[in-house]
Amino acid sequence: MVIAEDLAKQQRSISVAEFFEKNKHLLGFDSPTRGIITTVKEAVDNALDACEEAEVLPDIFVAIRKTNSDVYRITVEDNGPGIVPKNVPYVFGKLLYGSRFHQIRQSRGQQGIGISAAVLYAQLTTGVPALVISRTGADVRAHRFELMIKTETNEPDILVDEEIDWDRTHGTRIEIEFKSTLAAKKKLLEYLRYTAVVNPHARITADIDGEITVFERVSSEVPPCPKAILPHPHGIEFGALKRIAATNSDTLDEFLVNCFSRVGRKTADEILGLAQIKPRRKAKTLDSDELKRLLEAMQQVKIPAPPAQQCLSPISEDLIRKGLEKEVQLDFIKARTRPSAVFSGHSFIIEAAIGYGGKLPAEGSAQILRFANRVPLLYQQGACAITNCISQVNWKSYGLSQQGLPVGPALIMVHVASTNVPFTSESKDAIASIPEIEREIILVLQELGRELKAYINRRDRNKLQDDRARAICSIIPEIARKVSDIVELPLVDTSPIEGKIMRKLVAKKRTCDGKVSIDVHNYTARELVFTLYNLSRDSASDAVPKPDFVDDFDGEYNKVWKCRLEPGTVWQVTYSGTGDGSIDLRGVEDNVKVVVDLDV
Amino acid sequence: MVIAEDLAKQQRSISVAEFFEKNKHLLGFDSPTRGIITTVKEAVDNALDACEEAEVLPDIFVAIRKTNSDVYRITVEDNGPGIVPKNVPYVFGKLLYGSRFHQIRQSRGQQGIGISAAVLYAQLTTGVPALVISRTGADVRAHRFELMIKTETNEPDILVDEEIDWDRTHGTRIEIEFKSTLAAKKKLLEYLRYTAVVNPHARITADIDGEITVFERVSSEVPPCPKAILPHPHGIEFGALKRIAATNSDTLDEFLVNCFSRVGRKTADEILGLAQIKPRRKAKTLDSDELKRLLEAMQQVKIPAPPAQQCLSPISEDLIRKGLEKEVQLDFIKARTRPSAVFSGHSFIIEAAIGYGGKLPAEGSAQILRFANRVPLLYQQGACAITNCISQVNWKSYGLSQQGLPVGPALIMVHVASTNVPFTSESKDAIASIPEIEREIILVLQELGRELKAYINRRDRNKLQDDRARAICSIIPEIARKVSDIVELPLVDTSPIEGKIMRKLVAKKRTCDGKVSIDVHNYTARELVFTLYNLSRDSASDAVPKPDFVDDFDGEYNKVWKCRLEPGTVWQVTYSGTGDGSIDLRGVEDNVKVVVDLDV
């Protein structure tokens, strides 16, 4: 029998680098092919975060180059503020090191793991150290490092640290090499394209094995960098409260006001009254039971939500719409930014957009674009709360078919912006199922669904109205003719009736005894300027009035009249001919015009 | 403009405890309700692992007790080898500390995170320290600890360490308290039930708020504890090879034989020849380029797969079948254990089972049971490679309907046993999509699918045959009677014809003028021993031959005759009565017997 002493000999502590070396798929390094995308993503996220903090318009260069048989060098260079030399080894050579983990504000990187994981992956698979160049200003020289990670201790291993000349005045460049393939090139470009969509102020230049693609910025305004806020009393947990209180020498009323967001003197008094603790006690003197009472009181008192507009940076409806329209041709697009909401004390804002028609494929599931803190999510769509919410909405009631996901020529974009995005794993591929977040996503999708439904209805109604109008225009004159035959009275003019029904610009073509006549009635209440096209085998050389010009193709004549028509008046042309072919009105909106061919 | 120096001030290292405190959902602490299941799971996994290492039959006690309004105390106690006092604080009070991370063998726990995460969760949400009692043998006293974790440093905080008397001679008990609910009680019992299914040697007793459930062991054999093996040359990565070589003073040929599994002197020579490195060089003298050549050679030379039977512990087809049959009533069950396979140098074995019919619900998706290293997986079914593989199999060709997942009264169980199960997150809920693993799962499901298909075909065919036989036995004598009436000749015996058609044991009951007769014809080619049951309101007191015994229930008589019948012969009984009720033949297989009630 093995006994406790034998087992004890095998027990030891595991460094976080060892842990992630063994579990590298948790960080998005499932395969070398995906490794390229993960590396680029982590470096670009860092670059965008740093530029935002320094209020610089980002100019990011990404290169993937084959160096030999199957080794690729991945380079990402930015014009950010640079990293001070003494910190470079830690930022790139130590997992769980960074500036954003302890701050309560929206940022792309949060964990201080991503880029060091790429360094770890390179040294594990290829043994090549990472090359980092960084310069923090025109008055200092750049530093060039070659770095690895000591896996057993998770500490940086500095192989080279030298000063060099660099033409950038500030910025950072990282080069990482490992065996890989370019099989995911399309996905990489997709990542860069959608990164540009949600970061309209960034220019990204990609050189993928010699092929250059530039994603140009569409806005020259640096979005304001979200400001870190204090924890919210409703979101804090016992352990965290105990920690903050333990080292705080303020009196409790000051402590509450100074260490929490949205707590003023009045709220502090209310909390302390409810907890039955004297306001003049010092925070660090509270025992566990008193802290529990304090926490309970903090969570019971009504306190406004955290100041989301300060710590979050939503994209805005306008920029989402512009960004998407730039990338996809659509007939309909609506974007919505929801008011901020809170889960476990973390602020978040949901933004979403729905696009319809245009060049979207008519068959198959709708296209889904997922984003978190302005970063596109490319993997694990099926495991993501966003996808889950999209399936839960009843799209049939909004005019789309549905098989789990909505089906048809639609695009659904959802952006979750939060001070703490709850990802399902460190690789940040999918958002965990948090009821408060799911509720907001469903609400915004329902809002947009109603807009889509209104659009589809309007489109269908326009079509129906046109069909009806066509029917009326052909039948009413027919009835009038029959009636006049029967009652043996002259034919009455039915135009006013048609006009009353339709309130549109109506073009009617009829042919009788070798004479073609086209009438255009303006039944609307305003003057209309339009162009009438008539394409047929008739040359209409005797037309009155003469066409403004005629195109002659292969025995067909396209006759064009430019017209201006007061409300309630009619314009007419007649010519000799067979009356075949078609007529068309241009220059007025689709829902204002009706074309009726009485010869057909 | 914020500059690099300002940013540098905010940069700091993040302790792994801080990281997981913020990202507790990654460890399965998404909600307090789930927290209970995760805590029990981690403690039970540890208990089973420790008992296996000590070769003890596990006896595990799990209790969930409400202590006040909404605080629950979770207790798990085992009869394992115990933990030496100096290690207890680290095992429970430090994340990433354990004995199994660095070993290449199948174990439930691998990360050294799980149970410390429960301690962290309790102190974060409720501030209550964990209570641990452990004793390593009859000759020492037990130690009782109260423990917390210093979040900033990820080091244990020992509040109490005292010797106490404890009635167990060896074992460990942990108590953890936090606010929660029992909403997931059903899921918790499900976890314990399926843990018992795949650990048939364990007894688990659960006391859930006073309600006791015992999962009794069905096997008294401790499965052999998997032995740690050396890394396999095909699975090692550059970084790991460099690390092993750096501190090794052996000559290269010894190094390869001593540090890798499946490498003998001959293989070592072959590798070194291919790498063009002298065998007498010392491992630690190799430079990066030489190591790269060595690695390439190691991966090119043919080497047998790792010794899976040593490092893995599959459940076995027999125990899977027994375990499932104990829990679910089934008409059909087949289990398969695949030969071992390898991904990235890690051995794995896939086992699976398919159950059909019985008490499984006829409607809806088939029931899916997922296991990894003998641990049931309860969450994230949709994100798991097992589910994905099940959907990929074409179940229609195996006789099941399918809508993504197979539909109908079926149960599909898959167990992945590996020296390194690739989970999608630290909470170990789902298996990542690894092509080698997915291939094996699909193969085993196809194998089982063919068995299921054969069963369903056989069942359908039997049913058809029985229907035909019944038709023949009722019609042929009828035809014979008509014919004898018409031709005015005596009735011929049609039995030989029936026998020729059917080749079965045929029991026929008919009633005529208050006389009941039951004939049993053996149309098969062998002697048959069987028991005839006749349950009816007739007491059959004048039966010839007399029944071997008669049961009398509530005015019904179950008459039992034990018979032995040569091929081609017939056995008969007659008695006075109304001929109601049923007859049944037992002791012969279903597909050999036909029962025909001519009175019905």
Side-chain angles (χ1 to χ4, degrees):
Chain A
M1 175 172 154
V2 178
I3 48 166
E5 274 74 23
D6 299 318
L7 295 175
K9 283 179 206 134
Q10 298 161 1
Q11 273 159 352
R12 43 174 278 211
S13 130
I14 301 146
S15 104
V16 67
E18 290 178 306
F19 177 75
F20 283 119
E21 182 181 280
K22 185 166 169 186
N23 293 291
K24 48 195 176 297
H25 62 280
L26 294 181
L27 301 176
F29 290 94
D30 319 40
S31 71
T33 307
R34 178 164 176 199
I36 288 190
I37 295 189
T38 303
T39 303
V40 169
K41 182 170 180 289
E42 295 297 344
V44 170
D45 285 0
N46 288 353
L48 288 169
D49 271 337
C51 287
E52 215 159 86
E53 286 161 358
E55 292 170 36
V56 168
L57 271 181
D59 208 335
I60 299 174
F61 172 71
V62 174
I64 319 286
R65 283 282 182 170
K66 200 170 186 166
T67 61
N68 70 43
S69 63
D70 47 2
V71 172
Y72 286 79
R73 184 188 300 125
I74 300 136
T75 306
V76 177
E77 185 176 312
D78 67 49
N79 62 338
I83 300 164
V84 297
K86 78 172 169 35
N87 283 10
V88 167
Y90 295 98
V91 169
F92 296 93
K94 183 178 173 68
L95 280 82
L96 290 177
Y97 182 89
S99 58
R100 296 170 200 115
F101 181 84
H102 293 94
Q103 294 185 16
I104 304 180
R105 66 176 180 89
Q106 174 179 339
S107 58
R108 295 165 186 81
Q110 293 181 321
Q111 316 176 141
I113 295 185
I115 194 66
S116 329
V119 175
L120 190 69
Y121 185 69
Q123 80 180 37
L124 176 68
T125 55
T126 325
V128 180
L131 180 89
V132 180
I133 300 175
S134 193
R135 189 175 178 192
T136 58
D139 50 342
V140 292
R141 290 185 76 199
H143 271 249
R144 178 184 173 283
F145 289 89
E146 289 184 23
L147 291 172
M148 295 184 86
I149 298 175
K150 294 179 201 149
T151 317
E152 295 88 338
T153 55
N154 184 37
E155 291 296 332
D157 185 3
I158 305 168
L159 308 173
V160 174
D161 172 2
E162 57 185 9
E163 290 195 13
I164 59 160
D165 291 324
W166 200 33
D167 49 1
R168 279 198 187 274
T169 51
H170 54 87
T172 303
R173 175 186 179 98
I174 172 146
E175 294 185 17
I176 283 176
E177 275 184 30
F178 49 82
K179 281 191 191 178
S180 188
T181 71
L182 272 181
K185 181 174 156 186
K186 204 178 136 214
K187 200 139 193 164
L188 177 62
L189 283 170
E190 200 181 305
Y191 160 74
L192 294 174
R193 170 174 304 115
Y194 290 116
T195 300
V197 165
V198 290
N199 295 281
H201 62 298
R203 177 194 293 124
I204 305 176
T205 309
D207 168 352
I208 301 187
D209 222 15
E211 197 184 309
I212 312 280
T213 316
V214 181
F215 301 95
E216 196 46 78
R217 62 172 64 92
V218 295
S219 149
S220 296
E221 236 172 280
V222 188
C225 180
K227 304 260 177 313
I229 58 164
L230 294 167
H232 191 268
H234 287 180
I236 197 150
E237 281 173 291
F238 181 82
L241 175 65
K242 195 171 155 190
R243 212 153 51 226
I244 308 177
T247 55
N248 192 296
S249 319
D250 285 351
T251 57
L252 275 177
D253 47 0
E254 289 164 352
F255 167 71
L256 288 174
V257 172
N258 295 340
C259 295
F260 293 92
S261 76
R262 298 296 202 186
V263 179
R265 194 53 68 117
K266 212 177 126 230
T267 309
D269 287 345
E270 197 182 339
I271 291 172
L272 291 166
L274 197 64
Q276 295 185 291
I277 306 177
K278 295 210 178 80
R280 305 310 297 166
R281 290 273 304 278
K282 299 215 164 180
K284 63 181 173 187
T285 66
L286 296 194
D287 66 21
S288 249
D289 280 341
E290 288 167 325
L291 280 169
K292 269 182 209 167
R293 287 210 318 270
L294 180 65
L295 181 64
E296 225 155 276
M298 283 166 72
Q299 285 170 349
Q300 274 173 35
V301 168
K302 262 204 164 174
I303 300 169
Q309 64 287 9
Q310 191 178 326
C311 60
L312 297 183
S313 165
I315 305 163
S316 86
E317 297 179 0
D318 187 45
L319 284 177
I320 290 175
R321 218 176 42 238
K322 277 191 190 146
L324 286 174
E325 275 176 339
K326 202 185 92 186
E327 291 305 325
V328 198
Q329 195 190 307
L330 298 165
D331 290 339
F332 165 88
I333 172 130
K334 276 279 172 190
R336 275 279 171 283
T337 301
R338 291 274 307 163
S340 68
V342 182
F343 78 94
S344 313
H346 309 294
S347 284
F348 70 96
I349 286 181
I350 302 297
E351 302 185 282
I354 290 188
Y356 187 82
K359 293 222 166 149
L360 291 172
E363 304 283 306
S365 287
Q367 192 178 341
I368 293 175
L369 301 177
R370 299 173 294 134
F371 297 89
N373 284 5
R374 294 184 179 241
V375 177
L377 309 182
L378 298 185
Y379 292 91
Q380 297 209 36
Q381 179 169 301
C384 187
I386 292 178
T387 315
N388 186 26
C389 291
I390 293 175
S391 322
Q392 274 178 49
V393 169
N394 180 9
W395 292 102
K396 285 178 185 158
S397 69
Y398 305 129
L400 290 180
S401 330
Q402 185 165 16
Q403 287 174 347
L405 292 176
V407 170
L411 169 156
I412 298 172
M413 178 268 195
V414 177
H415 177 219
V416 178
S418 175
T419 52
N420 184 13
V421 178
F423 290 109
T424 60
S425 88
E426 289 86 345
S427 58
K428 305 198 280 186
D429 291 322
I431 293 174
S433 157
I434 304 286
E436 292 90 340
I437 293 183
E438 293 187 325
R439 184 175 167 275
E440 282 291 311
I441 296 178
I442 287 180
L443 281 176
V444 73
L445 291 176
Q446 287 171 338
E447 258 183 67
L448 289 168
R450 286 190 294 274
E451 300 267 10
L452 175 65
K453 172 74 176 169
Y455 163 77
I456 291 177
N457 279 353
R458 208 159 53 231
R459 191 196 59 174
D460 292 351
R461 199 163 53 232
N462 286 347
K463 202 175 158 288
L464 193 69
Q465 278 186 352
D466 285 359
D467 290 348
R468 278 197 194 142
R470 275 190 202 93
I472 287 165
C473 293
S474 11
I475 288 164
I476 288 185
E478 194 61 28
I479 293 171
R481 204 155 32 242
K482 287 280 178 210
V483 170
S484 96
D485 282 357
I486 293 164
V487 300
E488 293 182 353
L489 282 173
L491 185 62
V492 293
D493 181 12
T494 54
S495 309
I497 303 168
E498 293 169 32
K500 231 179 188 164
I501 295 171
M502 295 185 305
R503 302 184 185 286
K504 295 203 175 189
L505 184 71
V506 180
K508 288 195 276 190
K509 172 167 99 34
R510 74 189 89 200
T511 308
C512 187
D513 302 333
K515 276 278 172 200
V516 182
S517 68
I518 302 172
D519 301 353
V520 185
H521 290 255
N522 183 355
Y523 292 126
T524 72
R526 59 194 162 111
E527 184 186 76
L528 292 174
V529 178
F530 59 91
T531 312
L532 174 72
Y533 289 79
N534 172 227
L535 179 69
S536 73
R537 296 185 176 276
D538 302 326
S539 67
S541 49
D542 62 347
V544 178
K546 285 244 171 284
D548 292 285
F549 57 86
V550 180
D551 277 341
D552 172 1
F553 334 73
D554 240 2
E556 288 215 314
Y557 300 89
N558 194 16
K559 306 165 283 290
V560 180
W561 291 269
K562 297 188 169 189
C563 316
R564 174 183 296 270
L565 205 54
E566 295 290 320
T569 58
V570 55
W571 176 96
Q572 192 183 44
V573 62
T574 52
Y575 57 82
S576 313
T578 60
D580 70 325
S582 64
I583 57 174
D584 192 8
L585 288 171
R586 307 228 184 127
V588 288
E589 300 93 75
D590 277 354
N591 57 351
V592 173
K593 68 186 182 192
V594 180
V595 173
V596 187
D597 195 334
L598 296 170
D599 302 329
V600 176
Chain B
M1 178 170 152
V2 177
I3 49 166
E5 275 72 23
D6 299 318
L7 294 175
K9 283 180 205 134
Q10 298 160 0
Q11 271 158 354
R12 43 174 280 209
S13 127
I14 300 146
S15 104
V16 67
E18 288 178 307
F19 177 75
F20 281 119
E21 181 181 281
K22 186 166 168 186
N23 293 291
K24 48 193 176 297
H25 62 281
L26 295 181
L27 300 176
F29 291 93
D30 320 41
S31 70
T33 306
R34 179 164 177 199
I36 288 191
I37 295 189
T38 303
T39 303
V40 169
K41 184 171 179 289
E42 296 297 344
V44 169
D45 285 0
N46 287 353
L48 288 170
D49 271 338
C51 286
E52 213 159 88
E53 285 161 358
E55 291 170 37
V56 168
L57 272 181
D59 209 335
I60 298 174
F61 172 72
V62 174
I64 319 285
R65 284 280 182 170
K66 200 170 187 167
T67 62
N68 70 43
S69 62
D70 46 0
V71 173
Y72 286 79
R73 183 188 299 127
I74 300 138
T75 306
V76 177
E77 185 176 312
D78 68 48
N79 62 338
I83 301 164
V84 298
K86 77 171 169 38
N87 283 10
V88 168
Y90 295 98
V91 169
F92 296 92
K94 184 178 172 68
L95 280 83
L96 289 178
Y97 181 89
S99 59
R100 297 171 199 114
F101 181 84
H102 293 95
Q103 295 186 17
I104 305 180
R105 66 177 180 88
Q106 174 179 338
S107 58
R108 294 166 186 80
Q110 294 183 321
Q111 315 177 143
I113 295 184
I115 194 67
S116 329
V119 175
L120 190 68
Y121 185 68
Q123 81 179 38
L124 175 68
T125 56
T126 325
V128 180
L131 179 88
V132 180
I133 300 174
S134 194
R135 189 175 177 190
T136 58
D139 50 342
V140 291
R141 290 183 79 199
H143 272 249
R144 178 183 173 284
F145 288 89
E146 288 184 24
L147 292 173
M148 295 184 87
I149 299 175
K150 294 179 202 147
T151 317
E152 295 88 339
T153 55
N154 184 34
E155 291 295 333
D157 185 2
I158 306 169
L159 307 175
V160 174
D161 172 3
E162 57 184 9
E163 290 197 12
I164 58 158
D165 291 324
W166 201 31
D167 50 0
R168 280 198 187 275
T169 52
H170 54 88
T172 303
R173 176 186 178 98
I174 172 146
E175 293 184 19
I176 283 176
E177 274 183 32
F178 49 81
K179 279 190 194 181
S180 188
T181 72
L182 272 181
K185 182 175 155 185
K186 204 179 137 211
K187 202 139 191 165
L188 176 63
L189 283 170
E190 199 182 306
Y191 160 73
L192 294 173
R193 170 174 303 115
Y194 290 116
T195 300
V197 165
V198 290
N199 295 281
H201 63 298
R203 177 195 293 125
I204 304 176
T205 308
D207 169 351
I208 300 187
D209 223 14
E211 196 184 311
I212 312 280
T213 316
V214 182
F215 301 96
E216 196 46 77
R217 62 172 64 91
V218 295
S219 150
S220 297
E221 237 171 278
V222 189
C225 180
K227 305 259 178 312
I229 58 165
L230 294 166
H232 190 269
H234 286 180
I236 197 151
E237 281 174 291
F238 180 82
L241 175 65
K242 193 170 157 191
R243 210 153 53 226
I244 308 177
T247 55
N248 191 295
S249 319
D250 285 350
T251 59
L252 275 177
D253 47 1
E254 289 163 351
F255 167 71
L256 288 174
V257 172
N258 295 340
C259 294
F260 293 92
S261 77
R262 299 295 205 189
V263 180
R265 194 54 68 118
K266 214 177 125 227
T267 308
D269 287 345
E270 197 181 337
I271 291 171
L272 292 166
L274 197 66
Q276 295 184 291
I277 307 177
K278 293 211 178 81
R280 305 309 299 165
R281 289 273 302 279
K282 299 216 164 181
K284 62 181 176 189
T285 66
L286 295 194
D287 67 20
S288 250
D289 280 341
E290 289 168 325
L291 280 169
K292 269 181 208 168
R293 288 210 318 271
L294 180 65
L295 181 65
E296 227 157 274
M298 284 166 70
Q299 285 170 347
Q300 274 173 33
V301 168
K302 263 204 164 173
I303 301 169
Q309 62 289 7
Q310 192 178 328
C311 59
L312 297 184
S313 165
I315 304 163
S316 87
E317 297 179 358
D318 188 43
L319 284 177
I320 291 176
R321 219 176 42 237
K322 278 192 189 144
L324 286 175
E325 276 176 338
K326 203 185 91 185
E327 292 304 326
V328 198
Q329 196 189 307
L330 299 165
D331 290 339
F332 165 87
I333 172 128
K334 277 278 172 189
R336 275 277 171 284
T337 300
R338 290 276 307 165
S340 68
V342 181
F343 78 93
S344 313
H346 310 295
S347 284
F348 70 95
I349 287 181
I350 302 298
E351 301 185 283
I354 290 187
Y356 187 82
K359 294 221 166 149
L360 291 171
E363 306 283 307
S365 286
Q367 192 179 342
I368 294 175
L369 301 176
R370 298 173 294 135
F371 297 89
N373 284 6
R374 293 182 179 240
V375 177
L377 309 182
L378 298 186
Y379 291 91
Q380 297 210 34
Q381 178 170 300
C384 186
I386 291 178
T387 314
N388 187 25
C389 291
I390 293 174
S391 321
Q392 274 177 49
V393 169
N394 179 8
W395 291 102
K396 286 180 185 157
S397 68
Y398 303 129
L400 290 180
S401 331
Q402 185 165 16
Q403 286 174 348
L405 292 176
V407 171
L411 170 157
I412 299 173
M413 178 267 193
V414 177
H415 178 218
V416 178
S418 174
T419 52
N420 184 13
V421 178
F423 289 108
T424 59
S425 89
E426 290 87 345
S427 58
K428 305 198 281 186
D429 292 321
I431 294 174
S433 157
I434 304 285
E436 292 89 340
I437 293 183
E438 293 188 324
R439 186 176 165 274
E440 281 291 311
I441 295 178
I442 287 180
L443 281 176
V444 74
L445 291 177
Q446 287 171 337
E447 258 182 68
L448 289 169
R450 286 190 293 273
E451 301 267 9
L452 175 65
K453 172 75 175 167
Y455 164 76
I456 291 177
N457 280 354
R458 206 160 53 231
R459 190 196 58 172
D460 292 350
R461 203 164 50 232
N462 286 346
K463 198 172 162 292
L464 195 67
Q465 279 185 354
D466 285 359
D467 288 349
R468 278 195 194 145
R470 274 192 202 90
I472 288 165
C473 292
S474 9
I475 288 164
I476 289 185
E478 194 62 29
I479 293 172
R481 204 157 30 243
K482 288 279 177 210
V483 171
S484 95
D485 281 357
I486 291 163
V487 300
E488 294 182 355
L489 281 173
L491 186 60
V492 293
D493 180 13
T494 54
S495 307
I497 304 167
E498 292 169 33
K500 230 177 189 164
I501 295 170
M502 293 186 304
R503 299 185 187 288
K504 294 203 177 188
L505 183 71
V506 181
K508 289 195 276 190
K509 172 166 101 30
R510 74 188 88 198
T511 308
C512 187
D513 301 334
K515 275 279 169 197
V516 182
S517 67
I518 303 172
D519 300 354
V520 185
H521 290 257
N522 182 355
Y523 293 126
T524 72
R526 59 193 163 109
E527 185 186 72
L528 292 175
V529 178
F530 60 92
T531 310
L532 174 72
Y533 288 78
N534 172 225
L535 179 69
S536 72
R537 297 185 175 275
D538 301 326
S539 68
S541 51
D542 61 347
V544 178
K546 285 244 170 283
D548 290 285
F549 58 87
V550 180
D551 276 339
D552 172 359
F553 333 76
D554 239 3
E556 287 215 313
Y557 299 88
N558 194 15
K559 303 164 286 287
V560 181
W561 290 270
K562 297 189 167 188
C563 314
R564 173 182 295 271
L565 205 53
E566 295 290 321
T569 59
V570 56
W571 176 97
Q572 192 182 45
V573 63
T574 53
Y575 57 82
S576 312
T578 61
D580 70 324
S582 64
I583 58 174
D584 192 7
L585 288 172
R586 308 228 185 125
V588 288
E589 301 92 77
D590 277 353
N591 58 352
V592 173
K593 67 185 182 190
V594 179
V595 173
V596 186
D597 195 334
L598 296 170
D599 300 330
V600 176

